[in-house]
Amino acid sequence: MVGDTIRSVNFRVKEITNSPLGKHIKISGLIYRRDQAIARIECQFLSRNHAVSVDRTFQQMSQRRFTIQLNTAIDVAVLEATEWFIPLENAFVRLVPGSQVEFCLDSMYRFASESTYSSILTTGRAFLKASTGRLVHIANVHFECGASAKDPVIDYLRWHEAPSDE
């Protein structure tokens, strides 16, 4: 509103990558008024004809939501056997055949080259989708690895993703 004073702004660099045109930088931030976030700002810049050493490039991103359908007991066992799916100890619900699980994840990729990562960190939460549509937090996701061509967590979710109603 007119006369409001913004006292707090939080910005961070989300991505520095090289493109054929130069160095690409993404910045994201929140603007606060009276300790409440009121706006998100995302900016992208291109520094033409400049590049950064590949070992200094990275990309931090919030993944789109993934929903997977666990049709069989084998599907449930495979998900529960992954090292990155960490069930909550106090979760009062269990996965069973027919369960739908929704994942909300963030990833940090550091590059070794334009097509490979020097490290990957993917973290977030997994929710059981109840028949009422309510989401119940049942597990956390934590995956960390060194050099890799792909993110195995995201590949698994894409492979098992349930068809969307949208």
Side-chain angles (χ1 to χ4, degrees), residues 12-118:
R12 65 181 175 172
V13 178
K14 302 267 293 184
E15 179 179 326
I16 297 177
T17 54
N18 292 319
S19 77
L21 298 175
K23 180 170 50 175
H24 183 252
I25 303 167
K26 270 189 192 176
I27 298 173
S28 177
L30 289 172
I31 296 176
Y32 294 87
R33 178 183 67 206
R34 294 188 208 114
D35 296 327
Q36 242 185 350
I38 60 167
R40 174 182 301 278
I41 297 176
E42 295 198 0
C43 304
Q44 296 185 49
F45 304 93
L46 178 65
S47 182
R48 289 186 180 273
N49 301 320
H50 291 89
V52 64
S53 171
V54 174
D55 64 331
R56 299 188 74 194
T57 59
F58 66 92
Q59 183 178 35
Q60 183 177 0
M61 61 191 304
S62 293
Q63 301 285 351
R64 66 179 174 79
R65 287 182 177 241
F66 288 94
T67 300
I68 64 170
Q69 178 77 38
L70 303 173
N71 294 317
T72 67
I74 292 173
D75 293 339
V76 172
V78 167
L79 176 61
E80 289 179 335
T82 63
E83 65 184 35
W84 47 265
F85 185 82
I86 306 160
L88 297 178
E89 288 182 17
N90 60 351
F92 59 92
V93 291
R94 302 275 309 147
L95 293 176
V96 295
S99 296
Q100 276 196 333
V101 183
E102 188 168 301
F103 292 83
C104 301
L105 305 175
D106 295 312
S107 297
M108 169 62 98
Y109 303 112
R110 295 196 179 278
F111 293 92
S113 71
E114 288 183 24
S115 61
T116 60
Y117 304 115
S118 63

